[in-house]
Amino acid sequence: MRCVVQRVTRAQVTVEGETVGQIGKGFMVLVGVESEDGPKDMSYCVEKIAGLRVFEDSEDKMNLSLSDVGGQVLLVSQFTLLGDARHGRRPSFIRAERPEIAGPMVEEMAQALRQKGLRVETGRFQAHMQVELVNDGPVTLLLDSRKGF
């Protein structure tokens, strides 16, 4: 499972002109489910997202987590994170999980984050989405449950 975590002051996702998810301060998380991902992969990402200390404390050091600052999460599925563009000009998405498996995993991930006391909004799975965000810092982190980077 791969995630792009961006610290934001605000973020929203719209589908056909309708806002389907919107947050203030927190994390915009793009998530790609890889074939053969399972509960351990999801758990790894949930724990990392909930525990990341990238918000400034009173001494301007990145030392606070989402829960410390009352932050929120906008979780958006993005299978293109699994795209392999090393060969040729057209990326291969063969490593991305099938939608009927990936969709429920993304929803399960959202529920797991909620169980940690976080407010979580989501995009709409398999929809053409427009995502807007204000990256704060900028702070952007890459997570890979298989430690690919």
Side-chain angles (χ1 to χ4, degrees):
M1 186 172 279
R2 287 192 178 164
C3 296
V4 175
V5 180
Q6 297 179 60
R7 185 179 75 179
V8 299
T9 55
R10 64 178 171 78
Q12 74 174 27
V13 61
T14 58
V15 176
E16 296 179 3
E18 172 195 357
T19 299
V20 297
Q22 184 173 6
I23 64 165
K25 182 178 188 170
F27 289 155
M28 167 70 213
V29 180
L30 303 172
V31 58
V33 180
E34 189 171 358
S35 60
E36 300 182 20
D37 276 347
K40 281 185 173 181
D41 300 283
M42 187 201 61
S43 214
Y44 172 86
C45 290
V46 166
E47 293 301 319
K48 283 291 187 183
I49 291 164
L52 283 171
R53 297 182 345 181
V54 296
F55 295 92
E56 283 85 4
D57 63 15
S58 60
E59 297 176 11
D60 283 335
K61 294 187 193 256
M62 282 199 230
N63 200 24
L64 302 176
S65 69
L66 278 171
S67 56
D68 293 330
V69 299
Q72 305 163 353
V73 176
L74 179 56
L75 187 68
V76 176
S77 176
Q78 187 176 351
F79 79 95
T80 59
L81 291 180
L82 283 302
D84 183 348
R86 292 177 293 175
H87 307 287
R89 295 186 182 173
R90 183 172 173 211
S92 168
F93 299 105
I94 198 160
R95 292 178 47 205
E97 184 57 271
R98 295 185 324 270
E100 61 271 15
I101 296 172
M105 282 189 76
V106 173
E107 184 51 41
E108 189 177 337
M109 186 174 180
Q111 288 293 65
L113 287 164
R114 288 181 185 114
Q115 288 175 352
K116 293 199 166 290
L118 299 171
R119 178 174 162 240
V120 180
E121 298 278 324
T122 63
R124 187 172 293 156
F125 192 78
Q126 284 194 296
H128 185 94
M129 298 175 273
Q130 285 76 46
V131 179
E132 299 176 57
L133 61 101
V134 177
N135 191 320
D136 183 26
V139 173
T140 302
L141 299 166
L142 304 176
L143 303 178
D144 188 329
S145 63
R146 299 183 188 190
K147 319 289 189 294
F149 47 81

